Amino acid sequence: MKDVLVLGGGFAGVWSAAGAVRLARSVGNDDLRVRLISTGDDMVIRPRLYERNPDKMRVSLDSLLGPIGVNRMNARVEFIDVTAQMVSARDHDGTPVTAIYDRLVLATGSQLNRPTFPGSAHVFDIDTVEAATALDAHLHRLPRLDQQGRYTAVVVGAGFTGVEIATELVGRLREIAGTDVRVVLVELADVPGPELGHAPRPFIVDALTELGVELRLGRTPIAATTDTVTLDDGEMIPAATVVWTVGMAASPLTAQIPGERDRFGRLLVDEYLRVTPTVYAAGDTAAAIADDGHPTIQSCQHAQPMGKYAGHNVAADLLGLPMLPFTADPYSNCLDLGAAGALMTVGWDRVVDKAGAQAKAMKQAINTQWIYPPIDSADALLAKAGHFSNSA
C-alpha cells in the first residue's frame, strides 16, 4: 500500500486528493491510499467571504471526499518530518495524531498578515470564515450602538480584496442602517488597486465614485479604537467598523519544507509542482510558473488546477506513470464592484474585457457555480478532477 497524504482542505487540497484518486482508479490500482488532514470540517469558499452571509460560504468536506474514499482527519498539523516522511498533528480535542506518507501534498493555503498598531485588536478582516462571520455579526449589531460613526466603515487596502469588500459594504450597510452610510477606502499607494494595473483603474475609480466610497490615498492607519481610526497624517475618522485587507503570506508550514521561497513565503516548485523528491505543493503554498512565464497568484483560479496536477503527479510518481507538467489557463480576472457591477479583465496586462452588468453576471456565475466542486457524486468529482482547465 502506497500512501498519499494531502495537507489542507481548501481548493488545492480537495482537488489534489481527487486528482490522486482519479488517476489510481483510471488504471485500476487499489493499492494507493489517499488521506487528507484539515483543520475544519468544511471547504471554505474563500473568494466569497466579502459577500453577505459568509457563514454559508462552505461545503462539507465529507460530502466531497467520502464518496471517493478519501480518509479525512480533522486536526491541526504541527510538524512535518521530511526525513522520516511523517506528519505530527493534534485533533480537535488535543489528542496527538501522526500520519506517514510516501508522497505529501502541502496545500495549507495562505493567511493574512494582521496589523500590529495600537488598537488593532478592534480591526476586522475577511480572511477566514470565522473572521468574516464575526464582521457580519458586528454589522448587524450596529443599530444598537449609539455613537458617532456607527454606520461608517474604513477598509484598509485598495487591492483586489479591499475593493471588493469596500464596494460590497456600501450595500450591506445600507440594508442594515436604512439611512446614509459612509465607506472610506485607505491605501498606502497613491492610486487605488496598485497591483491591478493601469487598464482597470478608471473603471474602479468610476465605481467607487458612483457608490460614494471615499478614498484616502498615500495613507495608512496608525491606531484604532472601537469607534475611531487614526491615519498617519493625523486624520481621525469616527468609524465603528475597520476592515484590514493588506498583506498575505503562505502557510507557516512551508518553513518546515527544505527549499527556496518567494517573497510571500511560497515554495518554489518544478514543472510537476514538486519541491523535494517526496513533497509537492499546490495552491497558495506554491510558486509555480503560469502562462507567459508569470508566477501563479494566490487565488482559486490557480489553486484548483494546481491541485489537480499535484494530485495526478503524486499518484503517477508512486505508480510509475507519466507525470504532467503544470499548465495554467490564460490569466483572467473578475473583480466585483458591488452595486456598480463588476470588471472582467484578460491577460497579465489586465485588458478590460467586460464591465458593468455583463461582468457582474460573469462574476456571479463564477462565485455561485464554477468554483464549487460537485457534491455527493464520486463520478462527477473525479470527472472534473481529470479536466485540468478552469474553463469547464
Side-chain angles (χ1 to χ4, degrees):
M1 180 71 71
K2 297 291 187 180
D3 281 293
V4 170
L5 181 63
V6 178
L7 305 184
F11 289 99
V14 165
W15 286 117
S16 293
V21 171
R22 185 203 67 82
L23 182 60
R25 290 192 182 182
S26 71
V27 297
N29 189 291
D30 296 326
D31 294 326
L32 190 74
R33 180 171 62 169
V34 180
R35 294 175 294 165
L36 183 145
I37 299 178
S38 66
T39 55
D41 293 326
D42 300 308
M43 173 184 172
V44 176
I45 311 302
R46 199 175 180 193
R48 299 192 66 187
L49 293 182
Y50 68 94
E51 296 182 44
R52 295 162 175 78
N53 304 313
D55 188 54
K56 298 184 183 299
M57 309 307 178
R58 59 173 91 203
V59 176
S60 164
L61 282 169
D62 289 339
S63 71
L64 298 169
L65 303 176
I68 62 172
V70 173
N71 175 260
R72 185 182 68 86
M73 294 172 276
N74 188 339
R76 183 172 297 278
V77 174
E78 295 181 337
F79 184 66
I80 302 170
D81 189 332
V82 176
T83 302
Q85 296 179 208
M86 183 178 70
V87 168
S88 301
R90 291 189 183 275
D91 68 14
H92 61 280
D93 62 5
T95 303
V97 176
T98 59
I100 59 171
Y101 63 85
D102 293 292
R103 295 294 182 272
L104 178 77
V105 179
L106 183 66
T108 44
S110 59
Q111 61 188 39
L112 184 71
N113 294 322
R114 288 277 306 176
T116 57
F117 54 72
S120 58
H122 303 302
V123 173
F124 294 91
D125 67 71
I126 55 169
D127 190 48
T128 65
V129 70
E130 292 81 11
T133 301
L135 171 62
D136 193 55
H138 163 79
L139 296 177
H140 283 89
R141 287 195 298 268
L142 292 177
R144 300 199 293 271
L145 300 182
D146 183 16
Q147 64 186 56
Q148 188 181 11
R150 173 172 54 168
Y151 296 123
T152 297
V154 174
V155 176
V156 184
F160 193 96
T161 302
V163 169
E164 290 203 321
I165 185 63
T167 52
E168 187 73 7
L169 273 175
V170 174
R172 290 173 64 178
L173 280 170
R174 281 177 180 161
E175 286 180 4
I176 293 166
T179 186
D180 291 338
V181 303
R182 184 185 184 200
V183 176
V184 182
L185 184 56
V186 180
E187 168 58 49
L188 185 59
D190 58 1
V191 293
E195 76 277 20
L196 298 178
H198 298 290
R201 191 162 300 132
F203 294 87
I204 294 171
V205 172
D206 285 349
L208 296 174
T209 302
E210 176 185 336
L211 296 173
V213 175
E214 302 174 30
L215 283 173
R216 298 291 188 274
L217 300 175
R219 320 270 188 88
T220 191
I222 58 171
T225 68
T226 56
D227 53 13
T228 64
V229 59
T230 303
L231 305 185
D232 57 355
D233 65 349
E235 180 181 8
M236 181 178 290
I237 303 173
T241 307
V242 181
V243 184
W244 183 266
T245 71
V246 180
M248 299 297 295
S251 162
L253 290 174
T254 56
Q256 300 188 22
I257 308 297
E260 295 182 68
R261 294 162 183 80
D262 71 0
R263 65 189 179 94
F264 301 108
R266 300 184 300 177
L267 291 159
L268 303 190
V269 297
D270 69 11
E271 61 182 330
Y272 304 113
L273 304 181
R274 183 171 47 192
V275 186
T276 76
T278 60
V279 177
Y280 294 66
D284 289 1
T285 62
I289 301 301
D291 56 315
D292 296 331
H294 290 273
T296 51
I297 60 172
Q298 292 175 308
S299 75
C300 71
Q301 177 180 178
H302 284 149
Q304 293 185 88
M306 289 172 80
K308 294 173 184 180
Y309 277 99
H312 175 97
N313 287 338
V314 290
D317 194 4
L318 290 172
L319 300 176
L321 299 170
M323 293 195 288
L324 297 175
F326 171 66
T327 305
D329 287 346
Y331 179 66
S332 63
N333 196 308
C334 199
L335 178 71
D336 202 337
L337 296 172
L343 187 65
M344 181 80 184
T345 67
V346 295
W348 292 94
D349 291 332
R350 298 183 174 89
V351 175
V352 175
D353 181 58
K354 297 179 180 66
Q358 188 181 17
K360 187 74 166 186
M362 177 71 73
K363 182 68 171 181
Q364 290 175 336
I366 292 169
N367 277 11
T368 61
Q369 300 173 43
W370 295 359
I371 62 176
Y372 279 77
I375 301 170
D376 295 321
S377 172
D379 290 343
L381 187 68
L382 296 180
K384 194 166 183 177
H387 186 89
F388 295 92
S389 169
N390 279 328
S391 62

